[in-house]
Each structure stands twice: as structure tokens, then as C-alpha cells.
Amino acid sequence: MPSCPTGHHSRATDFCDVCGLRLQAYTPAPVPPQPHRQQYPQPPPPRSVPPPAPPAPSPPAARSSAAPRGGPCPECKTPRAGRFCEECGYDFASQSGAHQRRHSGAGSGGSGAYWRAVVAADPAYYQYMVDQGMLDPAQISFPSNNRQRRVSLKGDRVHIGRRSASRGFTPEIDLGGPGGDPAISHIHAILVAQPGDTWALVDPGSTNGTTINGTANPIAHNVEVPLRPSDRIYVGAWTVIILQKG
Ligand SMILES: [Zn+2]
Ligand SMILES: [Zn+2]
């Protein structure tokens, strides 16, 4: 049977009926980035590494067309690639749009745990991106007014992205706007409340990727990566998002 990358038992064979992640043919679950203790500026390898190998084709998977169950995103018609719509952040698991968050789950603080995200511009990460040739310092300069922000993590999901007037959506962690980080996708990543007052991170397909704690490679798209307090999420040209609990 195909299996959920996070280990759920799913009766559906295309997407996990617990979490909505795309199921993978016989291969074992990809190991989420290991407890990550490396920090910038220790240089991770270049980001041009090939993506993880696709699951080995298995005999029954010959009908590989992988037609998404339920069709494309009901809000923007983008083909489904995982739990969240890469374009608009629609949550196929709870069948709700990015602006329709539920106020339940870990983020509601039921047990008193309180999580926040500290958003800042990290000069070491910016320099790393310059050194790797990922951005042109002549065109993208480090922000001069580097102010930290704190965002409380509430509800069942917290979106990291950039505001869009045309879409009428501003993510809870908005990295766009004047002076914003230019390398952020509209829906870049999503913090997902987990049982037991914890959070996981999903990158639904951002253009420039998401890394955690300065480890080498961007996290795989559409895989929930568990987070711990003090974890650092790196996105865009210079943004670091540090998780704090309590
Ligand atoms: Zn699952
Ligand atoms: Zn959508």
C-alpha cells in the first residue's frame, strides 16, 4: 500500500485521509531534516542539489496518472500537489481557504502553551545567499531598517508569505509590502498546529525554498517538518523566523 510520508494509515490511496499529504508508493517515509543544530554562517551546500528521487515505480503504480482526488483547488483551480494549495494556501484537509482558519488546535493555547514567531532580517543568511549566487547584491540590498517583529501563533495554521491586494489576502506572517523581502512566494510556507501543543512547517511549493536552522537543503515540498522551540526558519533573501515557546 502507498504510505503517508508522516506515517499515517490511510485507506485512500492517493492522498492521506488523515493529513492530506500525497501518499508515496512503497518507499519508506522521507526522513525529515534531522534535529538540526548547525547554524549559519557555516555554509550549507549550494541549493542546486537535485530534488529527492521520486518513489521507485511499483507494479500497481503503473496507473501512475496520479489524478488528484477531488480535483484542483476549489478557490483558484491550481492542480493539487499536497495538503495545501501552492497558489492560495487552501487547506484540502480541512477544506477551508487560507483566510478561514479554525481557532482550535495547538495554537489555541488550550494547555497554556504559547508560541510566537520572531521575524527578523538576518545579515549572515543574506550574505550566504549572496555568496551562493542566489541573489544579486546590486539589486537586492539588505534592509536598512531592520526591525524585529513578533507574531503570536494562533489557530490551526499560520501562513508565511506576502500580502496580495489582488487576492485580498494578507498572511499572518506577512513578509511583503514596502521594503519587504523580495524572494518570498505569496504562500511561501505554512505553520500547522499539531497535537500536543507543537507546530510543524510545510512548504507547499515555494519558488525559492525554505530551510531550517541553516541546514543544507530546503525542506521537501508538501512534507510536514516538526518544529521545536528556538528553531530558525530561513526564507527569501534575508528573513529568519525564530520560534519561541512559553
Ligand atoms: Zn498523513
Ligand atoms: Zn488555490
Side-chain angles (χ1 to χ4, degrees):
M1 287 291 291
S3 60
C4 170
T6 53
H8 296 128
H9 292 282
S10 173
R11 277 169 301 171
T13 56
D14 47 0
F15 291 90
C16 175
D17 50 24
V18 178
C19 71
L21 293 176
R22 184 187 288 281
L23 301 177
Q24 307 196 334
Y26 300 91
T27 46
V31 182
Q34 276 312 305
H36 13 56
R37 282 293 150 230
Q38 305 167 43
Q39 304 283 334
Y40 289 114
Q42 185 235 24
R47 201 179 283 207
S48 56
V49 294
S58 51
R63 55 184 293 265
S64 64
S65 54
R69 182 181 60 185
C73 173
E75 299 215 335
C76 74
K77 308 307 177 199
T78 299
R80 177 177 179 175
R83 170 173 168 177
F84 295 103
C85 175
E86 160 185 12
E87 271 305 304
C88 73
Y90 180 84
D91 182 1
F92 288 90
S94 65
Q95 300 186 347
S96 57
H99 44 275
Q100 302 170 295
R101 298 186 308 141
R102 276 193 221 142
H103 292 283
S104 61
S108 65
S111 73
Y114 175 73
W115 288 76
R116 75 186 75 79
V118 178
V119 182
D122 183 334
Y125 171 56
Y126 169 80
Q127 190 58 48
Y128 163 75
M129 296 294 279
V130 171
D131 292 344
Q132 293 294 317
M134 301 293 292
L135 57 86
D136 177 3
Q139 296 193 33
I140 300 176
S141 52
F142 190 75
S144 52
N145 57 339
N146 178 11
R147 290 176 305 165
Q148 274 195 5
R149 284 183 289 149
R150 288 161 191 271
V151 179
S152 299
L153 303 190
K154 294 175 185 162
D156 59 345
R157 301 164 266 163
V158 174
H159 300 82
I160 299 168
R162 57 191 302 113
R163 71 184 76 169
S164 166
S166 61
R167 299 163 190 238
F169 179 67
T170 299
E172 293 82 7
I173 299 179
D174 177 21
L175 303 174
D181 191 317
I184 300 291
S185 298
H186 288 288
I187 302 288
H188 195 104
I190 301 163
L191 292 156
V192 184
Q194 303 289 301
D197 278 323
T198 61
W199 290 82
L201 184 69
V202 178
D203 182 328
S206 73
T207 304
N208 294 309
T210 303
T211 57
I212 298 179
N213 292 344
T215 45
N217 303 322
I219 62 175
H221 289 164
N222 295 306
V223 174
E224 290 189 7
V225 179
L227 296 173
R228 298 180 301 181
S230 302
D231 275 348
R232 294 164 170 259
I233 301 164
Y234 291 94
V235 290
W238 57 65
T239 301
V240 61
I241 300 168
I242 306 166
L243 291 190
Q244 294 181 341
K245 181 184 181 183

